[in-house]
Structures are given as C-alpha cells and as structure tokens.
Amino acid sequence: MKAEQTNRASGYVPFPGPVVAVILDGMGMGPKDGSDGVHVAHTPVLDSLLGTGLFTPLKAHGLAVGLPSDGDMGNSEVGHNALGAGRIFSQGAKLVNEALDSGRIFEGATWARVLEQARQGGVVHFIGMVSDGNVHSHIDQLFKLIDRCVLEGITTVRVHGLLDGRDVAAKSGLHYFRALEEKLAAASVEGRDYRIASGGGRMVTTMDRYNADWRIVERGWQAHVLGEGRFFPSATAAIQTYYDEDPEQTDQYMDSFVIAEEGQPVGTIEDGDAVILFNYRGDRAVEISRAFDEVEFREFDRRRYPRVFYAGMMQYDGDARIPNHYLVEPPAISGTLGEYLCEQGVSSYAISETQKFGHVTYFWNGNRSGYIDEQLERYVEIPSDRVPFDQRPWMKAEEITVAVIQAIAEGRHKFIRLNYANGDMVGHTGVESSVRIAVETVDLCLGRLLEAVKKAGGIVLVTADHGNADCMWTEKNGQRLPMVAHTRNPVPCVIQDYNQANGFALAPVEQPGLANVAATLCTLLGLTPPAHFEPSLLCLEA
C-alpha cells in the first residue's frame, strides 16, 4: 500500500482543483491609518477575501520564526523557512549569538585557520553589513569578533562595512559607523592596527542575490579587494560627504568608498590574508562567497584573485557547499513540507520572480538547493527587472499570474505556491506612491488568480511572510520619517474554498504563526500532517 493512501485524512473528500498558496511578500496587517500602505491602497479583492474566507492573523516575527526575541522583526528567509518546514528552528541571529556566547564559534577548524593566516603575517578582513537590523547581520556580533581578535593577539584587522538603511532607518549609517570607528580605534593599541578599509550601500555594493545583478558584487570586489573607488580619509567622512552632496541620498543606495592614506588604500585584500563574511543570512551572501571561493569564475573579471582563506559566518547553501568554510553550523532542517509531499506523490509547482525565487524554493525547502523530486516538482523563475523598484512597482506580478493561471488550467500540479515580491521590495524604497501601486498591482493580479482557482474548483490560502508595506512612515517630533524596514505586525492567513467538498473550520490553535501553515496545507490536501509539524489551523467538520 502506498504512503499516499495510508496518510490520507479520515473523512476527506478529494476534489479536482489545486491547492494554491499565495505569499503576499511584505504585506502585513498594519494600523489601518495613513501610514499603512496596504490600508490606503485600493484592494477590493483582498478586502473581499478577508471578509468571506476562513481568516486568522499569524505571528511572523520574533520567537515565532526562531529569532532571539519578540523584539526582532521577521524577514523573508526565516519566514519561508517556517512556512516550508512546518516548525520553528533557531535562526540566523539566534544561532550566531548562541555560538558566540558559548565560545563554540572559536573552537572549530575554521577559526583555527583564521588564526594561522594571521600568525603567518596575514591580515584578517571582515566584510558585512554594519547595523543592528538583525536580518543579515548585527553590529554586536562584529564587535565580539573584533574583541576575539584582540584576545588572540591578531595585529592587523580591516573591516569592509556595508550600509544598511533598509532593515534600520534609511539614513542611520553615521550612527553605526561612528560606533565601529570608535571600537576599532580603541583596539588599535599595543601594536595593533584595526581600521575600516572600504564600504558602500548594500543595494549597490556586494549584496546582490539570486544572480539578479552581478555588477553589484563586482563593485564590492573592486572596493574591498582591489581598493578601487572614491577615496576618503574615513568611513564617516565618506558617508557625510555623500549626504551633503545629495540630500536625498539613503544608505542602502550609497556609492562604494575606499579609505586611503597618502593616496593609497589602507586595506586591500592580498595573498595570505583571511576573509570572513560576517553576514549570516544566505541569499545576499552566496554571490560574494562564490567570487572568493571559485578558482574558475566567470561572472565578472576579478582582474586579481588573491589566495586567501575565506569563510562565511554560516554556510549559505548547503547543497552547493557555498562557502567551503564557515564558522557556525546552519539549522539542520529536514522533514519539510516539500519532502513530505514528494513522499506522498503530490505534484507541486513553485514560482516567483528572481528577487524571491529562492524563497519559494531554497528557503521553503529548508535551505536546500534544487529539486527534491524532479519528477513531481516544477520550479519557475521569472527574471526580475534591473531597475529601482520604486520606478517599476508592478515588478513581475503580471507574468507570475499568467504563468500560474496556465499551470492551473493544465491541471498537472495539485499544490502550487507563488510569491508576489512587490509589497516587500517596493516597501523597502519608502516611496509612498510606489508602495500603493505595488499593493494595488498585487490585488489586481490576485483577483485574476482567484477566478482561475474558482473555475478549477480549487482552494486558495493567502498569507505573507512578514510585514513591510503596512508601515510606510513613522512620526517623530511632528515629522514623517520614511519607514523602509520590515515590521513586527501580524500577517493575514485566509483560506477560500471554491469547491466545498469538505467542511473546513478554524481549529483552536494558540498563538498561531507561520509555522502552522505547512500542516494547514496538508489538511487542505487531505493528508495527515507529520507529527513534527506545528498543528494545522484547520480541522474537518464531521
């Protein structure tokens, strides 16, 4: 007897249509005032869905997605991990904090190699984002690494710092880089030389993702490795100059810079050095890691390839082994929803545009690249446009919608998942008119998608991975300040059943969160959820 038969839920009545999970990336449930981009947008489809479907809010931040505290905002990586894994794992910041607090991070072979390079005369370089946004990195973790370098007697350290302005305030770079400069200056005693060597805004320097624009990584390589770029005497001088030259300048889009003395960069990366990428989130760490790790590299002309020991804070892609060396073991996520559906013979289809493609595949599948079962799965990536997202806020929602409608009509896939990236990517720009257009675009496309699901007699589950567009600005001292970071607001989860073959009802789940969605999808598909999943949000009425 097949596993598919033994795991069927008792009393469930099969139906012909698909189960479609729609992730409205970055569209949380805000305060329903003028700052709430989801509320002020014209969203008749979403409003109707929330009024007629089975609805519950979900927690999408903090402890509910494995982060250190409920003060931590959610993000797309941990959100999709929770959605696809069906349970909560210690994530990014929490894993790194635990390794730093216990000292475990300094006990492995990777840190030993860093020390070996330093004791043979190599410089220790740290590359990463300098903020306390706690999504890709945290400045406190960098400070602990610097403290350890002092303790170990490492004489020369260089930091290549990337400005955030996305998970923190849009123009907060001076605050973090002043603190970093003070930290390094305090360490530069007793023969030690610790300095910032280069930097730039995260969206134009180093931190590209999903092969969207390798020019971003090339720009980082030029600044960090080659020492090429605009010269400044200090990082804070660079940031202040860019602010002064363009009052509209925000941190995430700031040009790269190089710190120089007497016309020479102070911290190029050379043979024999050690390089640590101290970001812990994977999506924007893979490409720069490849540039350091791959001998045969063709994405751009590196011009000079220093023989260094390179390590990531974590291994950002376990299947592809990127990078080869890392300080902290990633969460071991097995038994995901994707694996379970493949075991049960359920065919599935996953789609998004480039900016979120890895979220509905790699992160959804527990930080695993590639197909679980290529015979049962189909993954589709729609290439994202290479323009600022506020200039094209509709992004690729239309193309995604057309592809999904076609997949529904073909009837080959019982489970379909898709991600509309607009609410998050445009929400990060802080441009209010563009945020409204982004949300309205998603709503328009959602309406067409629902009609296709209805025609096929299927079921749709609509949710989000975290908030963003639900807060476009905050007020301080009577002034509106753009809000470009994620929020800690709950996200909606609404189920619309267009076939009524089964009597679904909301189950009494305490403090429901994103991790409950996987079991809920099992319920909709007529499968008994695995015992290790968080409970389903639904039950079958007798």
Side-chain angles (χ1 to χ4, degrees), residues 455-474:
K455 182 178 179 180
I459 300 175
V460 67
L461 181 150
V462 178
T463 190
D465 53 345
H466 56 75
N468 186 333
D470 42 290
C471 185
M472 301 185 292
W473 48 263
T474 58

Side-chain angles (χ1 to χ4, degrees), residues 192-414:
R192 290 186 295 271
D193 179 11
Y194 288 23
R195 291 190 255 180
I196 298 173
S198 68
R202 59 181 283 181
M203 294 301 286
V204 296
T205 308
T206 306
M207 287 177 60
D208 185 45
R209 66 178 174 190
Y210 307 145
N211 306 309
D213 188 351
W214 275 95
R215 294 171 299 178
I216 293 171
V217 185
E218 183 178 14
R219 220 170 279 128
W221 186 268
Q222 291 166 347
H224 311 326
V225 178
L226 307 179
E228 295 180 354
R230 187 173 174 184
F231 284 3
F232 291 92
S234 70
T236 50
I239 296 166
Q240 188 62 61
T241 300
Y242 284 135
Y243 286 164
D244 292 342
E245 291 176 349
D246 180 6
E248 302 300 315
Q249 176 70 66
T250 57
D251 293 345
Q252 62 179 317
Y253 295 109
M254 186 172 288
D255 283 344
S256 59
F257 55 84
V258 175
I259 309 308
E261 285 184 354
E262 300 180 358
Q264 295 298 317
V266 302
T268 56
I269 297 175
E270 305 291 340
D271 288 350
D273 290 348
V275 180
I276 295 173
L277 181 64
F278 63 87
N279 287 2
Y280 46 74
R281 176 167 159 169
D283 56 350
R284 294 191 186 274
V286 164
E287 291 175 46
I288 187 64
S289 296
R290 285 185 54 201
F292 276 104
D293 260 4
E294 293 180 12
V295 177
E296 299 295 329
F297 179 81
R298 296 181 175 84
E299 302 298 345
F300 60 85
D301 182 3
R302 292 177 295 192
R303 291 163 41 210
R304 180 169 64 81
Y305 179 48
R307 302 297 173 163
V308 302
F309 176 71
Y310 177 82
M313 181 67 88
M314 306 179 75
Q315 188 166 58
Y316 307 117
D317 186 331
D319 282 358
R321 297 180 63 82
I322 301 173
N324 293 320
H325 305 283
Y326 49 96
L327 290 168
V328 180
E329 291 284 343
I333 302 179
S334 60
T336 63
L337 177 63
E339 291 175 83
Y340 182 60
L341 295 185
C342 287
E343 290 170 5
Q344 305 308 309
V346 177
S347 59
S348 64
Y349 177 101
I351 184 172
S352 187
E353 63 179 278
T354 303
Q355 287 294 330
K356 298 292 180 177
F357 175 68
H359 293 77
V360 292
T361 54
Y362 172 75
F363 289 130
W364 184 281
N365 290 334
N367 306 330
R368 171 177 176 170
S369 293
Y371 287 98
I372 297 169
D373 186 335
E374 199 164 357
Q375 300 301 312
L376 288 168
E377 299 176 295
R378 185 182 177 202
Y379 300 163
V380 177
E381 175 185 358
I382 305 295
S384 292
D385 293 322
R386 294 185 177 185
V387 298
F389 300 113
D390 60 295
Q391 295 179 17
R392 202 167 293 174
W394 44 89
M395 298 183 69
K396 294 297 181 181
E398 163 67 10
E399 290 85 345
I400 293 168
T401 304
V402 169
V404 174
I405 290 173
Q406 181 178 344
I408 292 171
E410 290 172 352
R412 283 187 260 171
H413 303 284
K414 188 63 179 178

